[in-house]
Amino acid sequence: GHHIVLHTYPDQQDSRYSPHLGGPTLTGLSVQTHPNDVHTDVLRWVAASKATGQQWVVANDEQGSAIDGIFPDDSYPSEFRKRKLVGQVLYGTLMAGGAGVEAYFGYSHHDSDMTCEDWRSRDDWWGHGRHALELFATVPLDSMQSDDDLVRSGDYCFASRDDIYMVYHHSAVDGATVINLTHTSGTFAVQWYDT
């Protein structure tokens, strides 16, 4: 069948989503929220629905303010801001166990949410999405879940404990990437993937 999902304003998530947890009405959510909150909000609804025995398919939508969303490639204020948005929104969603991201284009830039005629205006964003799909196709998604307690605050961990660990290290987080593997033994191979 088709998914039935609900979408609402960021400040209405609890009042709109919570009544449907465990019920027969919804199969998922399309979470609108600020980029800083994407990982936390997606993770919260993935976990809450899983706890009821009826896990939802949770995606992120309308990230950021209504004026910006995902910037056109030539309009990002800085390379740092672009990389931060990719990390918080795209990898923040996926590493929370989310299903994906529906890119919102905002209304203050050319090729806006209401006027876009050239989807190539976000070509860089689509490239990041393609790289994420390629990366996540190499891991056993069905056995993995968010495990952020294993990494430093601000980083993300998506893991199948004792088997595979994916860590997203934000460029905004100072210092080295650290993962706590004291709960396991054995030898692990380390690979680097630069997003």
Side-chain angles (χ1 to χ4, degrees), residues 34-36 63-73 75-90 108-109 124-125 128 168 170-172:
H34 188 277
N36 293 337
Q63 49 292 125
S65 69
I67 61 173
D68 286 325
I70 303 299
F71 295 84
D73 292 347
S75 298
Y76 276 94
S78 67
E79 183 64 26
F80 174 80
R81 179 89 178 262
K82 180 193 306 184
R83 293 186 71 70
K84 187 175 178 184
L85 196 62
V86 168
Q88 290 177 322
V89 173
L90 184 59
S108 67
H109 304 284
D124 192 50
W125 178 260
H128 285 292
Y168 185 89
H170 286 279
S171 58

Side-chain angles (χ1 to χ4, degrees), residues 118-192:
D118 184 0
W119 284 65
R120 292 172 298 179
S121 65
R122 299 334 191 265
D123 193 53
D124 192 50
W125 178 260
W126 310 132
H128 285 292
R130 178 177 48 81
H131 291 299
L133 285 171
E134 290 169 355
L135 174 63
F136 277 77
T138 67
V139 298
L141 293 175
D142 290 346
S143 65
M144 298 176 76
Q145 64 184 9
S146 181
D147 210 343
D148 294 339
D149 291 340
L150 299 178
V151 294
R152 290 175 31 157
S153 179
D155 287 346
Y156 309 139
C157 181
F158 195 60
S160 174
R161 284 205 176 193
D162 300 324
D163 183 30
I164 187 168
Y165 301 83
M166 292 176 68
V167 176
Y168 185 89
H169 176 67
H170 286 279
S171 58
V173 176
D174 292 330
T177 301
V178 176
I179 183 168
N180 179 353
L181 296 176
T182 57
H183 61 277
T184 191
S185 62
T187 303
F188 290 90
V190 176
Q191 296 178 316
W192 186 266

